[in-house]
Amino acid sequence: MKHSLKAGLVAAAAVVALAAGARAEVKIALDSPPDAKRSGSYVFAHALAEHLKAGGMAVRELPVNSIGGEAERLDQASQGLLEVNMADLARAGQVDKLIFGFYAPYLFDSIDHLDKTVANSDLMQRINAGLAKKGIRVIALVPVGGATGIFNTKKPITTPEDMKDMRIRALDQNQMALFKAWGTNGVVITMPEVANALQTGIADGYINPPFVPFLFGHTAILKHYTDARVSMPLRISMVSEEWYKKLSDKDRKTFDGAVVKATAANRAWVKDSDATALAQLDKAGIKITKLTPEGRAKFQALSKAAYTALLSQEQIQLFIEAANKNR
């Protein structure tokens, strides 16, 4: 009887230990292939995982789309079923659109300027106050390049006037509004359909960081790249608000520290990513055009008309004032 009781207690303890271990596991859902050379998102996610492991937390990286696409992963994070989700910034924008202010063209001069603005303002606190109501929290902005430029199949672009006869692939209606402000045409096309659209003339180009054609096999189609530095190419890392709030003080300290280190790893990758990609573009035969200060000023002036497509004037003003204070 005593032996049976002892065995039962041992088994129960094992079950409790296993359950505790399961609860403690941090699942990180990836949004890109595990390529630390080309994916700034993966650089962040993997660094986060390694630092959490070093702090004694169990971690599992989930391959991209293994538990669903962007919409499914957002749902799981908001319900507390997924701890960390690497995601498109627009997904958080569907929950609370204030985060779209980080998309504003020509508002931030660089990733360093963006980081300084976030650190010295309450923008992220405002954003997370809205997101928390829906069960998620953004823990980091994750750049996947230094800045976006303009790819096209036709000619060098030095001013908005050069684009009047073009049709540019748009990610969403926000980019459609931007192209309209520039005086050109846009067409919303999903990324898997872009190669065919470029080849058939449905679209003449797109806006993206310089490494993107290599990821999607577009280098043989595109002929020109303008280093226009339109906006910061951002994705995000979000967590389940319920899970985060239930972390012990020790685990929260470990997690917050890992986020800081993962952010540093991502920023170190960003510093070299554009220079490396531009050299590869040149080697691939894509002609690179730099904007003159006058050309950049024209793009910048026209882009302001698209700001209210992102947010209300009152909302976008929060970002404008914060960015200007930190220049």
Side-chain angles (χ1 to χ4, degrees):
M1 179 73 177
K2 288 183 179 179
H3 177 75
S4 224
L5 178 60
K6 183 177 180 181
L9 289 173
V10 169
V15 170
V16 170
L18 286 172
R23 288 197 302 271
E25 182 181 61
V26 180
K27 299 184 295 295
I28 302 177
L30 304 180
D31 61 349
S32 76
D35 186 341
K37 290 185 177 180
R38 290 181 172 173
S39 173
S41 176
Y42 183 68
V43 169
F44 178 95
H46 188 62
L48 179 67
E50 291 303 300
H51 288 298
L52 289 177
K53 290 176 185 176
M57 298 178 75
V59 181
R60 180 156 53 108
E61 294 180 16
L62 304 178
V64 58
N65 295 330
S66 62
I67 59 169
E70 292 277 359
E72 290 79 15
R73 298 200 307 273
L74 174 63
D75 285 343
Q76 290 175 55
S78 66
Q79 294 172 33
L81 303 175
L82 173 64
E83 291 77 20
V84 182
N85 181 29
M86 304 302 298
D88 180 4
L89 183 146
R91 288 295 160 181
Q94 291 177 355
V95 177
D96 190 308
K97 69 177 186 176
L98 187 60
I99 199 170
F100 280 138
F102 290 123
Y103 269 166
Y106 294 104
L107 182 58
F108 300 105
D109 302 330
S110 64
I111 297 298
D112 285 345
H113 179 213
L114 171 71
D115 286 341
K116 185 179 178 182
T117 301
V118 171
N120 296 324
S121 71
D122 65 350
L123 292 175
M124 196 57 75
Q125 290 89 334
R126 287 174 179 264
I127 290 165
N128 277 328
L131 296 178
K133 297 174 184 177
K134 300 295 184 178
I136 58 174
R137 171 192 296 259
V138 171
I139 57 170
L141 298 173
V142 184
V144 292
T148 58
I150 307 167
F151 285 97
N152 83 91
T153 60
K154 288 188 171 182
K155 60 185 177 181
I157 294 171
T158 59
T159 67
E161 288 80 6
D162 295 329
M163 302 177 68
K164 284 186 176 180
D165 61 342
M166 291 186 177
R167 185 163 53 239
I168 307 299
R169 176 260 177 172
L171 174 68
D172 54 24
Q173 292 303 316
N174 292 329
Q175 280 196 345
M176 289 288 285
L178 175 62
F179 298 153
K180 182 178 179 181
W182 286 355
T184 190
N185 305 296
V187 54
V188 176
I189 302 172
T190 62
M191 204 60 186
E193 299 172 329
V194 167
N196 182 63
L198 293 171
Q199 289 173 321
T200 58
I202 293 173
D204 301 311
Y206 56 58
I207 291 179
N208 261 313
F211 69 87
V212 165
F214 298 101
L215 287 180
F216 295 95
H218 300 160
T219 53
I221 309 170
L222 297 163
K223 305 301 179 185
H224 300 274
Y225 176 71
T226 298
D227 191 13
R229 304 189 66 79
V230 180
S231 60
M232 301 301 105
L234 299 174
R235 295 188 70 80
I236 59 172
S237 182
M238 67 170 70
V239 297
S240 161
E241 177 73 2
E242 178 185 358
W243 169 79
Y244 183 78
K245 288 174 72 173
K246 288 182 178 179
L247 284 174
S248 67
D249 291 344
K250 178 184 177 182
D251 282 350
R252 185 177 294 111
K253 183 178 180 181
T254 297
F255 186 81
D256 290 347
V259 170
V260 172
K261 292 174 181 177
T263 300
N266 168 265
R267 299 313 191 260
W269 175 87
V270 166
K271 285 184 178 179
D272 296 329
S273 66
D274 278 7
T276 300
L278 287 172
Q280 291 175 339
L281 287 178
D282 184 60
K283 188 176 180 179
I286 295 177
K287 182 176 175 57
I288 299 171
T289 300
K290 298 280 187 180
L291 288 183
T292 64
E294 294 77 17
R296 177 180 169 83
K298 288 182 179 180
F299 274 106
Q300 189 172 20
L302 292 175
S303 296
K304 291 180 180 179
Y307 281 9
T308 50
L310 296 168
L311 298 171
S312 69
Q313 186 59 51
E314 181 181 0
Q315 289 173 318
I316 196 64
Q317 196 62 35
L318 295 172
F319 287 84
I320 293 171
E321 290 177 1
N324 287 340
K325 285 179 182 178
N326 288 282
R327 279 196 164 85

